[in-house]
Amino acid sequence: MTGTNRARPGLEQAPAAVRSGDTLVVPKLDRLARSVPDARAIGDSLAARGIKLSLSGTVYDPSDPMGKCFFNILATFAEFEVDLLRMRTRQGMAIAKANGKLKGKAPKLSVRQQAHLVKLYRAGEYNVTDLAELFSVGRATVYRTIARADAGA
């Protein structure tokens, strides 16, 4: 499950488990939100319900002006940290790709096996399920192989 997705099971369960007067404990802000607007929305919803937020052992009250200010500053730095990590990862992948070290996942079927699979499929001898079983791959792999062959033709 992607971290950038707001619809995360843990993120939905945690605020649902706390009640007014409780404190939601989060080890780091980047575990709670991925962007400043996301953090603000979560903080505002917690404040509206009377729930305090503990980040790395420090309690922030989003309804208090100072607490809100510190929370927003932390959210800005958390988003900045994630953006830096993302940028460094992309740069590293670009360098690895330029050096021929990043080639992606190896195909499950060799070029010869792919050609044979497509030949059997086009001849009408086997259906997709039979081909998946015959080549010991998933049906999705069979569909992708056929689609690549059709796109290349």
Side-chain angles (χ1 to χ4, degrees), residues 29 34-35 41 63 65 72 82-83 95-96 110 113 124 126 132 150 153:
L29 184 58
R34 300 297 190 255
S35 67
S63 62
N72 285 332
V82 169
D83 288 343
I95 291 168
S110 68
Q113 287 174 316
Y126 296 95
D150 290 343

Side-chain angles (χ1 to χ4, degrees), residues 42-61:
I42 293 169
D44 290 345
S45 71
L46 292 174
R49 293 177 48 205
I51 300 167
K52 292 187 178 165
L53 184 62
S54 172
L55 299 169
S56 303
T58 304
V59 178
Y60 295 94
D61 183 4

Side-chain angles (χ1 to χ4, degrees), residues 2-148:
T2 181
T4 58
N5 189 355
R6 175 90 190 262
R8 297 174 296 198
L11 183 58
E12 293 171 6
Q13 292 170 358
V18 292
R19 294 179 296 261
S20 181
D22 288 349
T23 301
L24 178 63
V25 179
V26 182
K28 286 177 63 182
L29 184 58
D30 64 352
R31 305 304 309 149
L32 181 67
R34 300 297 190 255
S35 67
V36 175
D38 195 23
R40 277 185 159 151
I42 293 169
D44 290 345
S45 71
L46 292 174
R49 293 177 48 205
I51 300 167
K52 292 187 178 165
L53 184 62
S54 172
L55 299 169
S56 303
T58 304
V59 178
Y60 295 94
D61 183 4
S63 62
D64 175 55
M66 280 304 262
K68 192 174 191 176
C69 177
F70 284 127
F71 181 73
N72 285 332
I73 290 169
L74 287 175
T76 300
F77 280 110
E79 184 177 357
F80 175 66
E81 186 179 354
V82 169
D83 288 343
L84 278 179
L85 179 63
R86 189 177 296 128
M87 181 186 69
R88 289 179 186 143
T89 301
R90 286 190 183 134
Q91 286 175 344
M93 290 175 69
I95 291 168
K97 189 173 184 178
N99 292 336
K101 295 185 181 183
L102 183 68
K103 298 176 183 166
K105 189 175 177 183
K108 293 185 179 191
L109 300 174
S110 68
V111 174
R112 190 173 180 187
Q113 287 174 316
Q114 290 178 29
H116 187 58
L117 182 146
V118 171
K119 180 181 172 188
L120 292 175
Y121 178 78
R122 289 192 176 141
E125 297 178 34
Y126 296 95
N127 64 24
V128 172
T129 305
D130 294 337
L131 288 169
E133 188 177 321
L134 183 66
F135 286 90
S136 301
V137 294
R139 290 177 12 169
T141 302
V142 174
Y143 282 119
R144 274 193 305 272
T145 303
I146 293 167
R148 269 191 237 118

